[in-house]
Amino acid sequence: MPKPKPRVIYWFRTDLRLHDSPALKAALGLKPECLYPIWTWDPHYVYHARVGPNRWKFLLDCQNDLSKSITKLNSKSKLLLIREAPQTLFPKLFKEWKITHLVFEKDTDAYARERDEKVVELAKKAGVEVIIKTGRTLYDPDELVKQNKGKPTMSITQVQAAGAKIGSIPRPIPSPKSLPDPGTTNLSFVQDKPANNPDINSTQRNAEESSYTGLAGPNNDFSIPTMSELGLKEATTPHRGGESIALKMLASIIANEDYTATFEKPKTAPTAFDPQATTLLSPHLHFGSLSAREFYWRVQDVVTNYKGRASQPPTSLTGQLLFRDMYFGAQAALGYAFGQTYNNPHCRFIPWHLPSTIHPGSGLITGEYQIDDAEAEVFFRRWKEGRTGFPWIDALMRQLRTEGWIHHLGRHAVACFLTRGGCYVDWERGAEVFEEWLIDHEAACNIGNWQWLSCTAFFAQFYRCYSPVAFPLKWDKEGEFVRRYVPELAGFDNKFIYEPWRAPIVDQKRWGCLVRGDGTESAEEDGKVKMYPKPMFDFKERRDVCIRGMKNAYKIGLHGDDPKVLDGSWRELFDDKAAGPTEGSKGPPGAMVEEEDGVGAGCENADGHEEVDHKSPPNPPARKKGASAKSDTKKRTHKREASQGTLDGIVTRKKNKA
DNA sequence: TTCAGGGTTGTGCAC
DNA sequence: TGTGCACAACCCTGA
C-alpha cells in the first residue's frame, strides 16, 4: 500500500512572510497533498501581553498582506485565522484535518519555548511529525549560547566569536513560486474559549473584545480580525506593516549604496523625522515580515562591492543585526529570568524606586509594582505622559505614544532619564511602557536595552549620563523635533527650546506659551496662551544623586540571584539615605517594600494611571521629608503577566526556581 | 596575578 | 565648527 501524501499545517507566528523561510521551504519539501497556512489566535496576545493599538494595527497589516500573498500563489489558499489557543486547538485540528506534519519557525522567547514544547508534546501524542527550523535571527540563539561556553551572550565580541565558530550566516531563500491547496477546512469540533483573566489589554480598548466569537470568525471564513472586532482604540501610528512594504523599504535602502555601506548608528540623528535617520525596519524584523538574514545579506553584498570605505560592525547596519542576536542569545540562555532583576545572575541589583512585586511561588515579577516613594511615582507618570518639563524627553515620549517608534538614541535618552540619569526608577517600569507602545517591541531587545541603559547589565559606565539639554543640542540646534512633537513650544526662540523655563515671562507670553505647573492644567485656562510644565526637578542635582546611588550599589556589588536579594536582606548593606527603597534591614523578596496591610492590600483601580489624561487621576502628594517609605506603599494593579513572550493563560507557567 | 586598553552612541571646556 | 582632553571611574579581556 503506498504511503499517503503528507497533509501539512504551516503554523505562522513571528514569521509573517514568504521570503527566506527555512521552515516554509521544509514544509514544501514534503511535497504535501495539502498545506494549511494557519495562525492560531493566541489569547496571550489578546489578553495577557501589553500590546497597544499601534502594534495591533501593525500585526493585522502583516497578516492581511501575507494572506493576500498566499492567495496570489494559490487562489484557493489564504492565511487561516483560527480563534483558539494553540494548546487546546491543535489536538482537535490534527484529527479533523487528518494532519501528518506540523511545521513552524523556532522561537526562543521564554513563553514561546513553553508553548512550543507543549504543542510538540501534543503532536507527538497525535502521531504528527513536527519540523522546526531556525530563521528568526542570524544564528540559532541556542547554538550561539552553546558556542559561548553555554553562557548568555553579553557582549558583541562574544557574539562575533561564537558566530565564527558556528559558521557563515545562511543565505536567504527565495519566496516560493506556488503553494499547494489547503484541504477541506471543516471545523466540526467545539471551540475552547480562552479565559480572559487577567485582561491586561483592557486599557487598550474602548469597545468589547469579540475575537473569540466562533472558531473561524464572525463570517465563518477564517478572516483576520479587525481593530473593531478586537474593540481596540484607534491606532495613531503612520507606520504600516506587511512583507510587501518591508521588501520595498529594504529595496529603497539598498538602492542607496552610500547610506547602506557607510551607515554608523551613533552618527545618525535621533532628532530626525520625516524621514527618520535609521531604516525603520525593526517592526518588520519583529513580526518577521522581513527576514533578518535577507536584510543582512542584501546589506553585506553592497558592502562587499562598495568602492569607498564601508563602516564595520558593531556600528554598521549588519552590526545592528548582531546586537539583535546578542540579546536573543542572552534571553535564550536565561529564559524568564532575563526579563527581570530578581533571580537574574547577570543583572546587577540596584535598589531602584517603584520595584516590581515578586510572585512568591514562581519568583517571577507579577507586573505589579510597589510605590515606595510618592515622588518617584510622580516622576514616572510625568515621564510616561510626556510632561516632565524637559522638552527633549517629552517630545520623545509623545512621539513614542502616538507613532510607536522613536530613534534608538532617543530611547537611550528617555531610558537613562527614567533610571540612572534622573528619576532613579526601576528599569522594569520603563520596559513595560515600551512593551505597550513600541510597534517594534522585541522582548529580548527591549529587556536587553533597558538593562544596558540602566547599567544593570551589558554596560557599566554609569557616569556617562545623557543630558536632556546638551544631547539634543548636538543634533538639532533649532529644536525642530521638539517643535513638531511639543507644539506648545513651537514659537520659542532657539536659545530656550530645550530649557523653556529660562525664558523671560514676557517672551513666554509673546511666544504663546507659559511655562508653569506640572502639565495637568488645561491649556485654555489662560485664554489663547498655551501652557507647558516647569521641569520636574533640577537635572544636575538629580544626576548627582543618581550617580552617587549607582556608585554605592556597584560597590556593594549584588546581582539578582544573590541570596540577600532573594530574601530581602540586602537592606542591611545599604544606607537608609541611599537612593531607592532602602529603609530597614530586611524585607520581602527583591526590592519590594513591606505593605502595611499585607499582601494584596491597596489600590484596586490603579490602572487609571495608564490613561494619558491630564486631568485625572491627580498625582499623589509628594512624600514629606523624613516620612517612612512604608506609609506611601500601595499595591498597584499594574499587570504585566508574562510579558516577555506570548504566554497563554490556559497554560500554567513553569516555576522558575529550578 | 596584575594591569593596560577598550567599550556602538556623555559633557564641558580649551584651543 | 571641529578636535582633543579631563572629568571620575565602571566592567571585561587578554597579555
Side-chain angles (χ1 to χ4, degrees):
Chain A
M1 201 174 132
K3 208 178 165 187
K5 285 186 91 179
R7 298 175 61 84
V8 179
I9 285 179
Y10 187 87
W11 185 21
F12 283 98
R13 300 107 59 86
T14 48
D15 57 333
L16 288 163
R17 65 175 183 277
L18 293 179
H19 74 280
D20 188 34
S21 172
L24 186 57
K25 187 186 172 189
L28 297 174
L30 294 168
K31 302 205 182 310
E33 175 193 337
C34 58
L35 180 81
Y36 293 95
I38 73 160
W39 176 283
T40 56
W41 199 242
D42 195 323
H44 168 69
Y45 212 70
V46 182
Y47 300 127
H48 309 147
R50 299 174 64 83
V51 189
N54 286 335
R55 191 153 87 253
W56 271 115
K57 176 76 180 143
F58 206 94
L59 167 66
L60 301 180
D61 280 354
C62 288
Q63 291 176 330
N64 278 299
D65 182 68
L66 175 69
S67 192
K68 272 185 203 156
S69 299
I70 291 170
T71 305
K72 266 185 205 164
L73 295 183
N74 183 332
S75 60
K76 292 179 190 163
S77 191
K78 64 173 182 174
L79 184 65
L80 305 171
L81 255 287
I82 310 180
R83 289 148 166 87
E84 193 175 318
Q87 298 90 337
T88 55
L89 172 70
F90 274 125
K92 297 181 286 185
L93 207 54
F94 292 151
K95 204 173 160 190
E96 178 95 21
W97 290 351
K98 299 184 175 59
I99 296 302
T100 61
H101 293 75
L102 173 68
V103 186
F104 57 85
E105 186 171 273
K106 183 170 176 176
D107 187 341
T108 53
D109 277 13
Y111 158 71
R113 269 198 209 273
E114 262 190 312
R115 176 199 60 201
D116 294 350
E117 275 170 22
K118 177 76 184 167
V119 168
V120 168
E121 188 190 314
L122 294 167
K124 206 175 163 186
K125 240 182 231 174
V128 170
E129 194 182 320
V130 180
I131 298 172
I132 307 170
K133 296 282 178 188
T134 301
R136 195 178 178 198
T137 42
L138 302 181
Y139 302 103
D140 176 353
D142 289 331
E143 191 61 27
L144 213 50
V145 172
K146 192 176 154 195
Q147 296 301 339
N148 193 43
K149 297 169 189 160
K151 290 186 282 194
T153 42
M154 302 301 288
S155 73
I156 207 69
T157 47
Q158 287 176 355
V159 172
Q160 286 170 310
K165 287 185 210 164
I166 294 170
S168 62
I169 293 159
R171 280 268 175 186
I173 300 162
S175 300
K177 298 270 190 296
S178 65
L179 289 173
D181 294 351
T184 168
T185 53
N186 289 346
L187 295 174
S188 62
F189 52 82
V190 175
Q191 181 192 40
D192 283 282
K193 216 170 177 178
N196 65 350
N197 188 25
D199 184 5
I200 293 160
N201 273 332
S202 60
T203 55
Q204 314 299 344
R205 302 187 202 106
N206 54 10
E208 199 186 339
E209 193 286 309
S210 59
S211 65
Y212 288 100
T213 317
L215 275 163
N219 303 317
N220 209 33
D221 60 354
F222 298 94
S223 63
I224 290 150
T226 59
M227 293 290 279
S228 67
E229 187 182 340
L230 293 162
L232 289 163
K233 291 176 187 168
E234 197 185 345
T236 52
T237 180
H239 310 303
R240 286 289 162 266
E243 182 184 19
S244 309
I245 289 173
L247 290 174
K248 273 184 200 152
M249 285 169 72
L250 178 64
S252 120
I253 288 158
I254 297 299
N256 188 341
E257 288 182 16
D258 289 330
Y259 177 86
T260 302
T262 63
F263 180 95
E264 287 181 80
K265 183 65 147 289
K267 291 186 181 167
T268 59
T271 50
F273 62 96
D274 200 25
Q276 74 293 334
T278 49
T279 67
L280 234 159
L281 289 172
S282 50
H284 294 287
L285 292 173
H286 169 65
F287 286 110
S289 46
L290 177 65
S291 149
R293 294 168 181 185
E294 177 83 27
F295 188 10
Y296 178 89
W297 279 111
R298 295 277 291 276
V299 170
Q300 193 53 47
D301 288 344
V302 169
V303 167
T304 305
N305 296 321
Y306 191 64
K307 299 282 184 280
R309 198 176 153 197
S311 53
Q312 295 295 316
T315 54
S316 66
L317 274 180
T318 54
Q320 308 314 303
L321 293 168
L322 289 171
F323 273 108
R324 183 169 176 266
D325 267 45
M326 176 182 82
Y327 291 132
F328 270 87
Q331 179 181 243
L334 294 166
Y336 281 118
F338 179 59
Q340 56 187 53
T341 301
Y342 189 78
N343 206 24
N344 181 348
H346 287 267
C347 187
R348 209 168 267 284
F349 175 80
I350 314 281
W352 306 109
H353 288 301
L354 312 186
S356 294
T357 304
I358 311 296
H359 187 274
S362 66
L364 299 175
I365 56 175
T366 62
E368 297 174 351
Y369 66 89
Q370 304 283 321
I371 302 174
D372 62 293
D373 182 90
E375 188 184 50
E377 171 70 357
V378 172
F379 291 167
F380 175 50
R381 285 193 198 183
R382 291 184 62 169
W383 173 84
K384 183 175 180 184
E385 293 162 13
R387 50 181 184 93
T388 65
F390 294 97
W392 165 237
I393 300 296
D394 294 342
L396 285 163
M397 292 307 291
R398 295 180 193 187
Q399 184 190 25
L400 171 61
R401 190 180 75 225
T402 55
E403 301 185 5
W405 183 91
I406 51 176
H407 184 280
H408 190 66
L409 289 178
R411 301 182 195 198
H412 278 215
V414 297
C416 179
F417 186 87
L418 182 69
T419 59
R420 66 180 168 87
C423 307
Y424 217 71
V425 163
D426 199 318
W427 65 266
E428 290 163 17
R429 300 289 74 70
E432 285 167 357
V433 172
F434 274 30
E435 182 194 356
E436 180 183 347
W437 283 348
L438 280 174
I439 54 170
D440 62 10
H441 173 258
E442 189 75 82
C445 301
N446 189 43
I447 291 160
N449 276 318
W450 273 94
Q451 291 178 357
W452 182 301
L453 263 303
S454 61
C455 288
T456 49
F458 299 100
F459 184 73
Q461 291 163 273
F462 54 76
Y463 45 87
R464 288 194 181 174
C465 192
Y466 291 87
S467 157
V469 175
F471 187 70
L473 207 51
K474 192 167 109 181
W475 305 99
D476 183 6
K477 290 202 166 31
E478 282 76 42
E480 285 179 28
F481 178 77
V482 165
R483 293 174 206 280
R484 164 71 178 79
Y485 292 99
V486 186
E488 309 91 284
L489 298 175
F492 270 55
D493 197 272
N494 290 351
K495 190 182 168 189
F496 298 104
I497 194 69
Y498 296 114
E499 300 175 282
W501 63 91
R502 292 196 193 283
I505 299 286
V506 60
D507 287 333
Q508 293 180 18
K509 279 184 183 162
R510 195 155 55 88
W511 297 330
C513 179
L514 291 172
V515 180
R516 64 162 69 153
D518 64 1
T520 55
E521 296 88 347
S522 166
E524 282 77 31
E525 281 172 20
D526 263 81
K528 284 182 182 172
V529 180
K530 296 186 179 76
M531 296 229 269
Y532 179 75
K534 280 186 169 177
M536 63 187 193
F537 47 59
D538 181 298
F539 175 72
K540 281 199 174 76
E541 211 172 84
R542 286 297 308 180
R543 180 187 174 277
D544 290 346
V545 167
C546 288
I547 287 183
R548 274 204 304 277
M550 293 298 288
K551 196 175 164 183
N552 185 40
Y554 263 68
K555 198 174 156 195
I556 290 167
L558 300 176
H559 283 79
D561 65 337
D562 193 287
K564 286 185 183 302
V565 172
L566 298 180
D567 70 12
S569 63
W570 57 269
R571 277 152 225 277
E572 296 164 358
L573 307 173
F574 285 82
D575 192 285
D576 283 355
K577 285 177 187 164
T582 54
E583 288 174 56
S585 62
K586 58 182 177 182
M592 283 167 61
V593 279
E594 204 84 61
E595 291 181 67
E596 277 186 335
D597 306 324
V599 175
C603 173
E604 274 304 312
N605 190 27
D607 262 347
H609 83 284
E610 298 295 319
E611 297 296 320
V612 180
D613 178 344
H614 287 185
K615 283 177 182 167
S616 66
N619 288 327
R623 193 175 128 197
K624 282 180 194 163
K625 272 188 182 172
S628 162
K630 277 186 184 179
S631 62
D632 293 320
T633 301
K634 275 184 189 169
K635 184 183 175 188
R636 314 288 303 197
T637 56
H638 170 98
K639 302 231 168 58
R640 199 189 72 146
E641 196 94 353
S643 56
Q644 293 176 51
T646 45
L647 182 73
D648 165 5
I650 287 169
V651 175
T652 310
R653 240 191 295 171
K654 277 180 194 161
K655 306 293 182 207
N656 203 38
K657 287 286 191 186

